Amino acid sequence: MALLNYFLTKLIGSENERTLKKIVPIAQHISSLEPEVEKLSDVQLQMKTQQFQEKLSQGAEIDDLLPEAFAVVREASKRTTKMRHFDVQLIGGIVLHQGKIAEMTTGEGKTLVATLPAYLNAISGKGVHVVTVNDYLARRDAEWMGPIYRFLGLTVGVIQHDSSTQERQAAYHSHIAFGTNNEFGFDYLRDNMKYDLSDYVQRSHHYAIVDEVDSILIDEARTPLIISGPAEESTDKYYRIDRIIPRLKKDADYTIDEKANSVTMTEDGIVRAEHLLGIQNLYDPNNVEWLHHIHQGLKAHALFEKDVDYVIKDGQVLIVDEFTGRLMPGRRYSDGLHQALEAKEDVKIESENQTLATITLQNYFRMYEKLAGMTGTAETEAVEFGKIYNLDVVVIPTNKNLIRSSYPDVVYRTEKEKFNAVVEEITQMSKTGRPALVGTVSIEKSERLSAMLKRAGIKHVVLNAKYHEKEAEIIAQAGQGGAVTIATNMAGRGTDIVLGQGVAGLGGLHIIATERHEARRIDNQLRGRAGRQGDPGSSRFYLSLEDDLMRIFGSDRISPLMQRLGMEEGVPIEHKLVTRSIEHAQKQVEGRNFEIRKHLLEYDDVMNKQRAAIYGLRRRVLEEESHTEYIMELCEDILKWHVDERCPQGKDPRDWEADALLNDLRGQFALDLNPEKIKQLENSENLFDFLYQALEQIYSEKKNGIGADRWTLHERLLMLHVIDSQWKDHLYALDHLKEGIGFRGYGQRDPLIEYKKESFGLFEEMMNRMEEEIVRYVFLTQPAQREEAPRIRAPRAVQFSGPSLEAAVATAVRKGQKVGRNDPCPCGSGNKYKKCCGVNA
């Protein structure tokens, strides 16, 4: 099959080549319009936007406008930024407009490329989102490219971490909005927690261009976006667990699997932990929380290393991003792991948080009608982009030929030997005046190398990746003669390194990598810093058998190879077989990480449908001018269920459970009737009609008593409060379900199928409870009389003449009314609530 593919590629070209062949004529057409567009005055050029908009309103397709629109942007760029789009940049722009990923080598001007499809898709007025990896790049790109858009009559907005609601609204209502993936995703979640449509910041999800698409849609997609609030749980357990963890012995009480990043307790370890905690059986359902805390404590001590995975700053445990080396303030590990690390480092333990809203980056970005991306490294992840996002990767040719030299990897026995060799090479580069950019995988390794260079008397700069502005400034200077810059492999991503005067003649920028990353893309990003726009450059990777990747994933293939090739202290091995073996190890890790992301997405897909249903319901509640029809439909359903349960069709009225029915209706609707009146009715249909008319009358009196507008506001706030409260509890239940669902695999059952079934059942029960509570609160509560109703944003601002909403909730729970009709009875009998305590509730 591989041989057939080879001959077919030779005969008809690769898929990438065929795609480019279709695009090149369009790019040539755009270039042919340049002389004509150059003749236009500024005013005539600016008028083109209005002409395009008129054509769209008359039924023209956006693709029909592409050649002229791109030619207009190219000319506008020449006049405002003094930059002209190369022909290959036109090709990149077409690929982005088509909703694909453009892979462009570092230094090829991706930021300028994005102006072409951004303008074309923004003239419809639906909004375009340009997504970057950090706030600094969002602001920089908006300021850098903003003149082009504004010259052509479009508005530009920037969303920053500290932007106010008003600033966000203005940015989202601009033609083109710049921001980070986290800000876009969290704004979506926050919007769906608001109580007034006028407070929403986002519009529809029309078109997004994701810069550094592999970093955002692949690397960061392993961590879902979560908005959380404090849960009512004591932190004492974390301190208690942390005191016993050092008394458990590795291999005897627990084992570590570094590949799977997991810790497993042995039988002896379980017995020892039970003894230390004074617990008889850790696997008793009542003690399962202790078991969870022990596992998290063991992970904190055995798998997470200070100054590698996290740092301590101002008495806080701050996560270090494994891909960028940057600190991530505000981000916390979930499931109690962060608290376990805080206990380990003896800093204040923050309270456990409960999920209030969550979404994966995959599902957020799949909401866009059209999605595109650009990066220097995407081809190695093309399969994942295709399967998860339905995005094709197109490799764009460089404007000038690439003349960078990539030397084979050099492998040493120990890390110490490796770093000695790195310092020696940096010293040689410094003497010749060639700039060197040294990539490390962690802050701790950067500091270690820096200390060695200080002892050697080598002047250098260490990039600590704390401030993006400083980071970009340092990286930009890395091409000056004799400069030595130490940075984490991904630091300064998105910043161009320009060679200083005379450096090109010395061989350009030299990249020295001190370790291979798990993903080949990260290595390629670092390597791609050299050799931009036809500049010379080179790169070399220094490795040791003690590196994590080599030790954990490559030992089976690489160690025997090293023995065969021969290895002495201080003498490296430099062989293509070694490089290939390392790449094989990287492919293994990439495959495993893909499975992790796919697994995360499969579970979130289940919740995604439920989230869409809840957010859709919230939106309807906010948009509808009256909720009467919806409320009365719920009343009809609930009343019918009660009548069918107590006074079923065909049963003699004398045998009806009239008293129990009235008790039900009193708790559900505050409906108080004479039992004798009910017994006089001939059948259940008449009974239903009689009761429904009574409910209509109560509802009408409530509504008319305070006025339709105030009643609608009152209903809306009650409904939103109930929806949000039930959704929060449902997310909490799903978190716990997800924690234990993996054990179903031991019973030969697919955990994902089990999760789908059980989560659907939980969702149906939640919807039943939600509908019952909405109706109950509407009928049991009465807003206080006021001459003028204020504009209220949240349920806590509502005034009640009777008991507070919180008190009403507490009463309902106390009476057992919160339990759904088909739920297990809280008394523990094992019967359904409707057949047990619910009979007389």
Side-chain angles (χ1 to χ4, degrees):
M1 191 68 185
L3 192 62
L4 177 62
N5 286 337
Y6 173 79
F7 283 118
L8 283 173
T9 300
K10 285 290 183 184
L11 184 65
I12 60 176
S14 66
E15 186 178 347
N16 197 78
E17 289 170 343
R18 296 195 297 274
T19 301
L20 290 175
K21 279 180 183 177
K22 293 176 185 175
I23 292 174
V24 167
I26 305 172
Q28 290 172 337
H29 183 196
I30 297 166
S31 292
S32 71
L33 297 173
E34 189 170 15
E36 181 184 331
V37 176
E38 279 179 330
K39 295 175 185 175
L40 298 175
S41 66
D42 283 359
V43 174
Q44 288 173 322
L45 192 62
Q46 290 164 341
M47 287 294 292
K48 283 292 181 182
T49 300
Q50 188 178 335
Q51 292 169 18
F52 293 145
Q53 289 169 335
E54 287 172 359
K55 287 179 180 177
L56 285 176
S57 65
Q58 292 165 5
E61 295 291 332
I62 197 164
D63 288 351
D64 300 335
L65 306 179
L66 188 151
E68 191 178 1
F70 276 30
V72 165
V73 175
R74 178 191 249 181
E75 185 60 29
S77 178
K78 283 157 56 179
R79 298 186 191 188
T80 56
T81 67
K82 310 304 179 192
M83 291 187 287
R84 176 184 176 275
H85 296 77
F86 302 129
D87 288 352
V88 290
Q89 290 176 313
L90 298 180
I91 293 171
I94 296 165
V95 167
L96 292 177
H97 170 70
Q98 291 176 344
K100 297 175 181 176
I101 292 173
E103 179 176 305
M104 303 182 73
T105 304
T106 302
E108 290 294 301
K110 293 188 289 292
T111 308
L112 187 61
V113 169
T115 59
L116 299 162
Y119 170 77
L120 176 59
N121 287 271
I123 55 179
S124 66
K126 294 178 183 177
V128 170
H129 296 169
V130 181
V131 188
T132 64
V133 292
N134 60 54
D135 274 358
Y136 164 71
L137 289 177
R139 189 170 65 252
R140 184 204 72 176
D141 292 356
E143 290 170 357
W144 195 12
M145 299 295 112
I148 301 173
Y149 301 125
R150 293 189 186 96
F151 178 83
L152 293 171
L154 300 186
T155 52
V156 179
V158 187
I159 299 128
Q160 299 280 276
H161 180 68
D162 56 358
S163 296
S164 66
T165 298
Q166 290 74 22
E167 289 168 337
R168 289 172 190 272
Q169 285 176 329
Y172 281 114
H173 283 77
S174 301
H175 288 94
I176 299 165
F178 289 81
T180 66
N181 50 300
N182 284 343
E183 292 306 315
F184 285 119
F186 280 125
D187 278 339
Y188 168 73
L189 292 176
R190 283 190 287 259
D191 273 355
N192 285 285
M193 298 173 72
K194 289 176 179 171
Y195 282 77
D196 197 311
L197 279 177
S198 63
D199 291 334
Y200 274 51
V201 296
Q202 284 192 345
R203 296 192 287 166
S204 60
H205 296 85
H206 170 54
Y207 176 50
I209 301 172
V210 183
D211 192 10
E212 307 298 0
V213 66
D214 55 326
S215 176
I216 291 172
L217 297 190
I218 301 290
D219 297 336
E220 297 203 23
R222 284 164 65 178
T223 308
L225 302 177
I226 298 173
I227 292 178
S228 56
E232 296 175 7
E233 185 177 326
S234 170
T235 58
D236 294 342
K237 285 182 180 175
Y238 295 105
Y239 289 116
R240 191 173 168 193
I241 290 294
D242 191 69
R243 286 195 291 271
I244 75 160
I245 294 295
R247 299 168 71 179
L248 298 176
K249 297 175 182 176
K250 182 183 173 185
D251 296 330
D253 295 324
Y254 63 90
T255 58
I256 299 171
D257 185 343
E258 289 188 85
K259 285 187 181 181
N261 199 41
S262 66
V263 179
T264 305
M265 292 187 73
T266 64
E267 288 293 329
D268 290 343
I270 291 165
V271 172
R272 184 161 175 75
E274 288 170 344
H275 171 71
L276 291 170
L277 289 169
I279 293 172
Q280 285 191 346
N281 181 6
L282 264 178
Y283 286 89
D284 185 289
N286 294 323
N287 296 328
V288 87
E289 202 173 296
W290 282 110
L291 186 64
H292 173 71
H293 283 310
I294 290 171
H295 274 115
Q296 296 300 67
L298 283 170
K299 283 180 72 174
H301 280 263
L303 293 173
F304 286 77
E305 191 177 341
K306 184 180 172 183
D307 292 333
V308 176
D309 302 295
Y310 63 91
V311 298
I312 306 299
K313 183 182 177 187
D314 300 329
Q316 290 184 309
V317 173
L318 298 183
I319 299 173
V320 176
D321 189 315
E322 65 173 308
F323 298 104
T324 67
R326 297 189 181 103
L327 300 182
M328 304 168 74
R331 295 280 282 272
R332 291 175 65 82
Y333 293 115
S334 60
D335 296 332
L337 177 58
H338 211 96
Q339 285 84 349
L341 288 169
E342 288 167 334
K344 170 189 170 184
E345 298 298 339
D346 197 25
V347 299
K348 183 188 174 187
I349 295 179
E350 301 293 334
S351 298
E352 183 73 87
N353 285 333
Q354 178 180 339
T355 302
L356 303 178
T358 180
I359 192 170
T360 57
L361 284 173
Q362 292 104 318
N363 271 324
Y364 174 73
F365 281 107
R366 292 198 301 188
M367 289 194 300
Y368 283 89
E369 294 171 37
K370 185 163 68 173
L371 180 64
M374 49 190 185
T375 181
T377 47
E379 200 174 18
T380 56
E381 310 293 347
V383 173
E384 182 165 353
F385 281 123
K387 284 185 177 177
I388 303 295
Y389 302 100
N390 198 26
L391 285 170
D392 293 330
V393 177
V394 180
V395 181
I396 311 299
T398 55
N399 184 49
K400 295 179 180 177
N401 290 334
L402 185 66
I403 56 173
R404 181 182 65 234
S405 300
S406 297
Y407 299 118
D409 296 358
V410 180
V411 185
Y412 288 83
R413 279 195 321 165
T414 66
E415 193 173 62
K416 181 182 176 183
E417 294 171 55
K418 176 185 74 175
F419 275 113
N420 286 337
V422 167
V423 171
E424 189 177 330
E425 176 143 341
I426 292 171
T427 304
Q428 290 176 355
M429 290 293 144
S430 185
K431 285 178 181 176
T432 62
R434 273 190 78 182
L437 176 62
V438 188
T440 64
V441 294
S442 69
I443 296 171
E444 184 252 341
K445 298 278 173 70
S446 294
E447 290 173 349
R448 177 180 172 181
L449 184 58
S450 174
M452 293 177 72
L453 289 177
K454 282 178 185 174
R455 288 196 293 272
I458 303 293
K459 188 179 178 183
H460 63 282
V461 178
V462 179
L463 189 56
N464 58 18
K466 279 184 187 173
Y467 307 104
H468 299 310
E469 292 89 341
K470 188 179 177 185
E471 174 183 310
E473 184 184 326
I474 293 171
I475 286 289
Q477 297 298 314
Q480 301 303 309
V484 177
T485 308
I486 302 175
T488 51
N489 287 3
M490 293 284 289
R493 186 168 182 169
T495 306
D496 207 6
I497 298 175
V498 180
L499 296 182
Q501 191 171 2
V503 172
L506 297 172
L509 178 67
H510 182 54
I511 304 294
I512 301 173
T514 60
E515 205 164 321
R516 282 275 194 173
H517 199 276
E518 285 185 358
R520 288 169 293 164
R521 290 177 297 101
I522 311 300
D523 294 341
N524 292 338
Q525 278 283 345
L526 181 62
R527 188 184 280 121
R529 296 299 180 80
R532 59 173 291 284
Q533 284 293 327
D535 285 340
S538 57
S539 66
R540 188 191 297 275
F541 280 75
Y542 281 82
L543 314 174
S544 83
L545 293 182
E546 293 178 346
D547 295 346
D548 286 346
L549 181 75
M550 304 279 280
R551 182 173 53 80
I552 301 171
F553 296 99
S555 57
D556 295 344
R557 293 169 62 92
I558 296 169
S559 293
L561 184 61
M562 303 305 251
Q563 291 171 0
R564 224 169 38 242
L565 295 170
M567 188 168 234
E568 299 175 20
E569 185 174 349
V571 179
I573 291 290
E574 186 175 334
H575 200 285
K576 287 182 179 178
L577 277 176
V578 175
T579 302
R580 280 205 295 271
S581 295
I582 292 165
E583 286 183 351
H584 176 78
Q586 287 177 306
K587 285 178 184 176
Q588 280 186 309
V589 183
E590 287 167 359
R592 188 201 64 176
N593 289 340
F594 174 37
E595 287 303 316
I596 291 171
R597 290 187 291 267
K598 194 171 132 203
H599 183 71
L600 172 71
L601 183 61
E602 284 171 341
Y603 278 83
D604 192 61
D605 279 342
V606 178
M607 191 200 293
N608 201 42
K609 293 171 183 170
Q610 300 175 7
R611 178 171 45 236
I614 291 295
Y615 287 176
L617 177 60
R618 275 188 111 264
R619 187 91 191 192
R620 279 206 314 278
V621 170
L622 287 166
E623 288 175 343
E624 288 176 355
E625 294 181 5
S626 170
H627 309 106
T628 299
E629 186 178 342
Y630 175 68
I631 295 291
M632 294 315 295
E633 280 179 6
L634 294 184
C635 285
E636 187 176 349
D637 290 343
I638 294 169
L639 178 62
K640 189 173 188 311
W641 183 87
H642 281 295
V643 170
D644 288 345
E645 283 290 300
R646 304 295 192 187
C647 312
Q649 184 74 25
K651 193 173 186 178
D652 193 308
R654 288 172 295 185
D655 297 328
W656 283 351
E657 301 173 39
D659 291 336
L661 174 64
L662 288 176
N663 197 38
D664 291 345
L665 300 182
R666 194 177 298 114
Q668 180 71 58
F669 302 103
L671 182 62
D672 203 0
L673 296 171
N674 187 338
E676 297 304 318
K677 175 66 177 173
I678 288 180
K679 291 173 183 176
Q680 294 171 12
L681 297 167
E682 297 176 358
N683 55 52
S684 59
E685 287 182 10
N686 290 347
L687 173 61
F688 174 82
D689 292 341
F690 169 74
L691 293 174
Y692 187 72
Q693 287 172 13
L695 293 181
E696 283 185 316
Q697 184 177 345
I698 294 173
Y699 182 85
S700 181
E701 287 172 357
K702 281 177 175 283
K703 184 175 180 178
N704 295 333
I706 63 168
D709 290 343
R710 289 201 62 225
W711 178 253
T712 299
L713 174 63
H714 167 70
E715 275 184 328
R716 180 179 298 138
L717 295 174
L718 281 176
M719 291 164 73
L720 291 173
H721 178 89
V722 172
I723 291 168
D724 290 347
S725 175
Q726 289 293 330
W727 178 240
K728 179 190 74 173
D729 291 347
H730 180 63
L731 290 177
Y732 190 66
L734 288 185
D735 282 345
H736 280 277
L737 174 63
K738 209 180 298 179
E739 267 181 33
I741 204 75
F743 291 112
R744 307 287 175 89
Y746 294 117
Q748 306 301 311
R749 288 182 290 175
D750 187 329
L752 180 60
I753 292 173
E754 293 293 305
Y755 179 75
K756 285 179 179 178
K757 284 195 300 190
E758 293 205 20
S759 65
F760 179 72
L762 288 171
F763 184 71
E764 280 197 317
E765 291 167 11
M766 184 268 293
M767 290 297 289
N768 283 338
R769 285 195 305 272
M770 185 187 74
E771 290 172 353
E772 288 176 6
E773 286 195 10
I774 285 173
V775 170
R776 182 179 299 119
Y777 293 158
V778 166
F779 278 83
L780 290 182
T781 60
Q782 177 70 42
Q785 297 292 335
R786 283 187 182 179
E787 291 182 7
E788 185 179 346
R791 185 167 178 262
I792 303 169
R793 293 181 184 272
R796 59 179 175 273
V798 182
Q799 305 252 334
F800 296 96
S801 57
S804 68
L805 183 59
E806 287 75 14
V809 174
T811 303
V813 172
R814 202 162 51 246
K815 289 181 177 179
Q817 293 166 345
K818 190 175 182 180
V819 182
R821 300 183 284 270
N822 292 306
D823 289 349
C825 190
C827 72
S829 66
N831 299 320
K832 289 187 177 179
Y833 174 67
K834 65 183 180 183
K835 297 291 186 185
C836 192
C837 298
V839 171
N840 298 312

